[in-house]
Amino acid sequence: MMHTNLIGKTVLVVEDDPKIRHLIKIYLMKEGYEVIEAIDGHDAKEKIEQLDPCILVLDLMLPKISGEEICRWVREDLTSMMPIIMLTAKASEKNKIEGFKLGADDYVVKPFSPAELMVRIEAVLRRTANRCSKLSFTGFTIKPIKGEALFKGEKLELTHFEFKLLHTFMQHPNQVLSREQILNFIYENNEKAVTDRTIDVHIKHLRGKIREKTPKDYIQTVRGMGYKFVGV
């Protein structure tokens, strides 16, 4: 099972074969990743600039712009350290060396095992955890470093505590969290500024701000246990 701190990471899958792209997407979504798809090199450049994914799974033999050119563009033009896993039928040692020289973090040869690809993605994300500055889940995006929270691209105006609450929920999606657990996640060294019951008020306010954007109740009350942040 994937470690909690990887849940919500956004993966851009650049692959022109729809069957392979769909297969990878299914496996990624099962593991809790948010998946963006690109069908060619031009589409990939647009998605990278617009959506700033946490990791790139990149086929090399692409229409319009090759995977090698995309990798070079990310590293040299964007000067981005976005993790890149090359996924390709180019299996020679020379191809692999060229891929790593271009800036790839890993190199997976087709045909490949989807389960192994998931492990490799997880391993790369663990090694490069400091390169991803956002977390995404079911339409929500949170940028802890910038203190920004968005729902489907629209900014949520949250207090500091509400922001911490949403961040905690997004790090533990589909898990029932007690009030005590939530406070322990938010405050270090047990330095709690609010009581267990006060948290209900903050969650009520957070729910209200979310409902200004959508009627869906993403934060569910689990009677006698706590709260659960759910997906679609």
Side-chain angles (χ1 to χ4, degrees):
M1 182 177 291
M2 189 172 59
H3 195 276
T4 301
N5 64 8
L6 296 181
I7 293 174
K9 298 291 186 181
T10 308
V11 183
L12 174 57
V13 179
V14 188
E15 169 63 63
D16 61 320
D17 186 322
K19 291 182 180 179
I20 294 176
R21 196 170 64 245
H22 182 69
L23 178 65
I24 296 172
K25 179 179 180 179
I26 293 299
Y27 271 81
L28 284 167
M29 291 179 67
K30 184 179 178 181
E31 292 293 338
Y33 293 99
E34 180 181 46
V35 183
I36 307 166
E37 300 175 71
I39 61 174
D40 57 45
H42 179 72
D43 189 21
K45 289 182 75 171
E46 288 188 343
K47 298 280 176 60
I48 289 168
E49 289 185 311
Q50 293 171 6
L51 302 172
D52 186 26
C54 288
I55 185 168
L56 182 61
V57 177
L58 180 65
D59 184 21
L60 295 186
M61 292 183 283
L62 293 168
K64 299 183 180 180
I65 304 173
S66 72
E68 289 92 345
E69 290 179 76
I70 293 293
C71 189
R72 187 180 295 108
W73 172 75
V74 168
R75 293 291 184 250
E76 296 180 5
D77 294 354
L78 293 185
T79 63
S80 170
M81 293 305 294
M82 176 194 306
I84 298 174
I85 295 179
M86 289 183 172
L87 181 64
T88 177
K90 296 182 178 181
S92 73
E93 182 181 34
K94 180 182 177 182
N95 291 141
K96 292 180 182 179
I97 291 171
E98 289 175 351
F100 285 117
K101 282 184 175 179
L102 283 171
D105 293 274
D106 203 351
Y107 196 101
V108 178
V109 177
K110 297 177 181 177
F112 64 97
S113 158
E116 180 185 349
L117 178 61
M118 296 305 108
V119 172
R120 286 177 177 268
I121 290 171
E122 180 179 344
V124 168
L125 283 173
R126 289 190 191 285
R127 294 199 308 267
T128 61
N130 62 336
R131 298 191 202 170
C132 185
S133 59
K134 74 174 184 177
L135 189 68
S136 299
F137 179 72
T138 193
F140 291 88
T141 299
I142 197 164
K143 300 179 181 180
I145 295 174
K146 294 183 177 180
E148 292 181 357
L150 304 97
F151 179 73
K152 294 186 177 178
E154 292 187 38
K155 190 172 181 180
L156 293 166
E157 298 292 345
L158 305 180
T159 66
H160 181 64
F161 194 86
E162 290 163 0
F163 181 87
K164 283 188 169 185
L165 268 178
L166 182 59
H167 191 194
T168 297
F169 282 129
M170 288 181 66
Q171 288 177 307
H172 304 86
N174 298 313
Q175 297 179 40
V176 178
L177 300 178
S178 68
R179 295 173 181 83
E180 183 71 18
Q181 285 177 310
I182 292 169
L183 290 175
N184 286 336
F185 285 128
I186 289 176
Y187 293 104
E188 297 179 358
N189 303 319
N190 295 319
E191 296 177 0
K192 300 174 185 176
V194 297
T195 65
D196 287 4
R197 289 299 170 183
T198 308
I199 205 165
D200 295 342
V201 177
H202 289 285
I203 288 176
K204 179 181 179 181
H205 291 161
L206 176 59
R207 276 174 165 161
K209 291 179 179 180
I210 292 173
R211 283 177 179 151
E212 290 176 4
K213 307 294 183 184
T214 171
K216 181 174 173 61
D217 187 9
Y218 285 92
I219 303 172
Q220 295 183 353
T221 301
V222 182
R223 189 177 298 276
M225 297 180 69
Y227 296 95
K228 183 178 181 181
F229 189 66
V230 298
V232 177

